[in-house]
Amino acid sequence: AQTVTQSQPEMSVQEAETVTLSCTYDTSESNYYLFWYKQPPSRQMILVIRQEAYKQQNATENRFSVNFQKAAKSFSLKISDSQLGDTAMYFCAFMLDSGGGADGLTFGKGTHLIIQP
Amino acid sequence: NAGVMQNPRHLVRRRGQEARLRCSPMKGHSHVYWYRQLPEEGLKFMVYLQKENIIDESGMPKERFSAEFPKEGPSILRIQQVVRGDSAAYFCASSPQDSSVTGELFFGEGSRLTVL
């Protein structure tokens, strides 16, 4: 079974600062996907960024980037120039690539990120 | 193009009653997933369905919970004889047939069940 660990229950930074959220996972598989989802107070789950395990290059989406260390099973999220709208719960998630269809996500417990004005 | 639609958004039930949560996947999506989120927790996988088939129900409690995704109409998560511990947010997600290529699920806004 796969596990995802987020060791930071809550983080708080000033607006415009850079913040890094940590995530580690455990699996014996080699083909999988990793995700960061954002859950604002509206509670909808919004995909922030995705990384395919077979890709060595770190994914980037505008102000969001990841540091994917496959050997260390680490997948941290960096948010640059943080904005008030970034305040939310952030969940790291793991999904096996079964080849025949997605098998569902395994989520960490989340990090509550607060951006202070 | 509407996203994943869940209803009701909020549902209140007394202990022993039945709860039915509905999910209409995105247009063109044939895979549906149900997740449960308890307070201060991440989402926990419950069940994965395709049209008229349950593919993986390893996260579903053995009793009182059932799910279906009929040929026509929304997917339904049914909880019989609800107890207070069933109070949670239930999220539905969908993916297209070739989700193994993108690995991405699209989530609805969730249904919050409160059991009195």
Side-chain angles (χ1 to χ4, degrees), chain A residues 6 33 35 37 39 42-47 50 52 54 89 91 94-110 112, chain B residues 4 9 31 33 35 37-38 40-45 48 50 55-56 89 91 95 97 99-110 112:
Chain A
Q6 293 179 249
Y33 301 94
F35 304 84
Y37 278 88
Q39 187 179 44
S42 67
R43 301 196 64 80
Q44 186 166 12
M45 295 290 285
I46 303 165
L47 178 66
R50 179 185 72 240
E52 291 88 342
Y54 65 85
M89 285 291 291
F91 293 97
F94 172 100
M95 174 190 281
L96 281 177
D97 179 7
S98 63
D103 280 327
L105 290 159
T106 300
F107 286 86
K109 289 192 174 184
H112 185 203
Chain B
V4 177
R9 291 292 309 280
H31 298 202
Y33 304 78
Y35 290 82
Q37 185 179 33
L38 296 171
E40 312 300 325
E41 295 281 332
L43 278 69
K44 301 289 187 187
F45 169 75
Y48 164 34
Q50 294 179 20
I55 307 303
D56 180 357
F91 286 86
S95 67
Q97 193 165 1
S99 62
S100 59
V101 176
T102 66
E104 181 176 350
L105 300 185
F106 296 81
F107 282 85
E109 295 186 339
R112 176 165 292 283

Side-chain angles (χ1 to χ4, degrees), chain B residues 42-62:
Chain B
L43 278 69
K44 301 289 187 187
F45 169 75
M46 298 182 73
V47 62
Y48 164 34
L49 310 108
Q50 294 179 20
K51 287 282 187 182
E52 300 184 283
N53 281 308
I54 297 174
I55 307 303
D56 180 357
E57 56 182 349
S58 59
M60 287 272 276
K62 294 288 186 280

Side-chain angles (χ1 to χ4, degrees), chain B:
Chain B
N1 184 19
V4 177
M5 304 300 292
Q6 288 188 248
N7 70 83
R9 291 292 309 280
H10 301 275
L11 181 64
V12 179
R13 285 288 178 266
R14 297 190 181 280
R15 281 180 297 170
Q17 292 184 320
E18 179 180 286
R20 285 195 180 212
L21 309 177
R22 296 174 188 78
C23 169
S24 296
M26 284 184 70
K27 187 177 181 180
H29 286 194
S30 58
H31 298 202
V32 166
Y33 304 78
W34 284 95
Y35 290 82
R36 177 165 63 177
Q37 185 179 33
L38 296 171
E40 312 300 325
E41 295 281 332
L43 278 69
K44 301 289 187 187
F45 169 75
M46 298 182 73
V47 62
Y48 164 34
L49 310 108
Q50 294 179 20
K51 287 282 187 182
E52 300 184 283
N53 281 308
I54 297 174
I55 307 303
D56 180 357
E57 56 182 349
S58 59
M60 287 272 276
K62 294 288 186 280
E63 297 177 350
R64 302 187 298 108
F65 285 72
S66 62
E68 62 176 8
F69 188 18
K71 186 176 180 181
E72 301 292 336
S75 175
I76 295 177
L77 179 66
R78 182 183 179 202
I79 311 172
Q80 294 178 292
Q81 299 174 331
V82 297
V83 300
R84 288 214 174 103
D86 297 333
S87 295
Y90 292 83
F91 286 86
C92 173
S94 71
S95 67
Q97 193 165 1
D98 59 348
S99 62
S100 59
V101 176
T102 66
E104 181 176 350
L105 300 185
F106 296 81
F107 282 85
E109 295 186 339
S111 293
R112 176 165 292 283
L113 172 65
T114 301
V115 180
L116 302 178

